[in-house]
Structures are given as structure tokens and as C-alpha cells.
Amino acid sequence: MRQKIDIAEVESATKIRAKYLRALENEEFGLLPGNTFVKTFMRTYAEYLGLDAQLLIEEYRVDYEPRGEGDVQPMVSRPSKRQERRRPRASRGPPGPGTAILVVVVVVLVIFVVLGLTGGNDKAPGGAGATTAKQAKKKPARTKRKPAAKPTPTSVRLHIVPTSATYLCVDRGLGKAVVYQGTTSSPQTFKGKRLRVNIGNAGTVRVFNNGKRVRLPSGATIIGYEFTPTRSRPLPPGVRRPCA
């Protein structure tokens, strides 16, 4: 770079490939074919640039070249691993009684394992094994929750639905003020602790006490009824009906 020489010019002049020249510059000596090529390329490159080639090579040897490389090692014939494996081993005596017993035990265990595997495969799909699996998959039965008991009503909600124009009279008990009196064809709702009603045409109305329908006598025309939170009953004979 100081001499403003392009790497392509060096490659053309030294016949050293550019990638090897860059490896020398970056000290990436592992990219070169070997130590001999490193030193040869380094010497040629240094001489082209006018540097001290011997000094660079010595620095390379000290810092990067493995120790002892280049020294001629005495050739000592060593037996290969295959030859070592093929060496005859020392002959051993006959196996003792303990070895024979161990072999018998192992053989028996293997027989039991094989019988267990084949016996398990012979089970029919509907056998005990399948039944046990089905039982394991069954989910525990859910306990049915009993519906909570409805609280006992403490007041009367009287709902009267006429199917045609009907006379109605409603009070809260004998001797008390009248709540409603008149002829109507529209549904009417009344509330109280206790209610009494006088119906002019019982065959044309439907009566509900706290949501439960009250069955009126069939064929009845003029009737009187008394309603409490838990009971609906006709007014006894001789008791004066509302507005009567």
C-alpha cells in the first residue's frame, strides 16, 4: 500500500495467486498449502517488495512454525493397531462354575421376557387387557346437583287473565277496603299478604297465584276465592265475597 502497488501487479510479477498474497498480508497462514509454500511465497513476495526476506522467514518460524518441523525423525517401525489386535492372546482356562450359572440365569430371563411379550400380543381386543384400558379411560361419574329449594313466598302475587269481559272485585280481607272493582278484559295483577277476589264469570278467566295456575271449578260462574302466599281456596259458604 505504501508503494502503491496493486495486488494484481504482484500476482502477475511473482506468479503467486492473489488469495495467497492476501493470506500472507493478513497472516492467515492456514489458507496456504503448507509451511514450505508459506516460506517460499514469503521470500518471493519480500524480494519483490524490496524487504529483508530472511528476517520475515525467521519471524514466521519463531511465531507460527510448529516446533521440530523440518527435523528428520528417525524411522522406527512400530506395530500398527491391526497387528496389535491380531496378536494371539494368552490362552485362558475353562470357565468356572460361576460363569456357567450366570449364563443359565441370563438364558432363563431371556425366555421369560420373550414369553411375556408374545403372551401380551395374543390377548383378544375384548379381553381383560382391553377392559382394563377402557375402565382407565372412563371419566369419573359426575354427581348430579340437586336443584336448590325455592324459598317460601311471603306475599301473594295474583295475576288474572280474562279471555273476555269479566267482572272482578278484589280486597285484602273481610272488612277491608276494596283494591279493585270493575269489568275488564285486560290482564290484572295484584299484590299483598292476603287477597280475596270475586269473579263474575269464572269460565272466562285464568288465575295465577305466585306463578302457579289456580284450577277453578269447571262450570262455575260467580265464585269467590281467597289467596295466601302458600294456598289458594274457595271462600267457604256463608262468607261474604268482596263487593257482594
Side-chain angles (χ1 to χ4, degrees):
M1 291 175 64
R2 294 192 192 99
Q3 298 182 25
K4 298 180 180 181
I5 302 174
D6 187 69
I7 198 75
E9 297 179 15
V10 182
E11 181 181 21
S12 177
T14 61
K15 308 302 181 185
I16 301 173
R17 297 176 65 178
K19 67 176 184 177
Y20 294 146
L21 294 172
R22 293 191 184 95
L24 290 173
E25 293 281 2
N26 299 326
E27 297 184 355
E28 296 175 345
F29 302 119
L31 300 178
L32 279 79
N35 292 327
T36 303
F37 286 92
V38 173
K39 289 182 283 188
T40 302
F41 291 167
M42 187 179 294
R43 183 184 301 278
T44 303
Y45 191 16
E47 291 175 353
Y48 176 81
L49 296 176
L51 302 177
D52 188 348
Q54 190 61 34
L55 178 61
L56 293 176
I57 293 173
E58 290 299 329
E59 289 181 356
Y60 167 76
R61 285 177 176 173
V62 173
D63 295 337
Y64 295 99
E65 190 174 28
R67 294 183 180 180
E69 186 173 336
D71 298 339
V72 179
Q73 299 293 337
M75 298 296 292
V76 180
S77 60
R78 294 183 180 179
S80 62
K81 292 184 178 180
R82 290 184 180 180
Q83 291 175 349
E84 290 179 355
R85 291 176 183 175
R86 291 178 182 176
R87 287 181 180 178
R89 297 181 179 178
S91 60
R92 297 180 180 177
T99 304
I101 294 174
L102 181 61
V103 172
V104 173
V105 171
V106 171
V107 172
V108 172
L109 290 176
V110 171
I111 293 174
F112 276 120
V113 171
V114 173
L115 290 177
L117 293 175
T118 55
N121 294 332
D122 292 340
K123 288 185 179 179
T131 304
T132 305
K134 290 181 180 179
Q135 291 176 353
K137 291 181 179 179
K138 285 184 178 180
K139 296 181 178 180
R142 296 181 178 178
T143 56
K144 295 183 178 180
R145 295 182 180 179
K146 295 182 179 180
K150 294 183 179 180
T152 304
T154 58
S155 62
V156 177
R157 186 178 184 275
L158 183 63
H159 188 57
I160 301 175
V161 183
T163 57
S164 62
T166 304
Y167 170 79
L168 293 177
C169 182
V170 181
D171 65 14
R172 300 185 186 279
L174 185 61
K176 293 187 178 182
V178 174
V179 176
Y180 177 86
Q181 181 182 9
T183 301
T184 180
S185 57
S186 301
Q188 303 292 330
T189 302
F190 309 97
K191 295 180 181 180
K193 294 289 184 181
R194 180 182 178 188
L195 293 174
R196 299 192 317 158
V197 63
N198 187 11
I199 304 174
N201 188 2
T204 61
V205 299
R206 290 180 295 171
V207 180
F208 301 88
N209 182 10
N210 289 331
K212 293 182 180 180
R213 185 172 181 179
V214 179
R215 298 294 177 180
L216 302 179
S218 59
T221 53
I222 302 173
I223 62 172
Y225 253 76
E226 181 182 31
F227 302 95
T228 62
T230 58
R231 189 170 64 171
S232 305
R233 66 170 183 169
L235 290 173
V239 175
R240 186 164 57 88
R241 297 190 300 274
C243 302

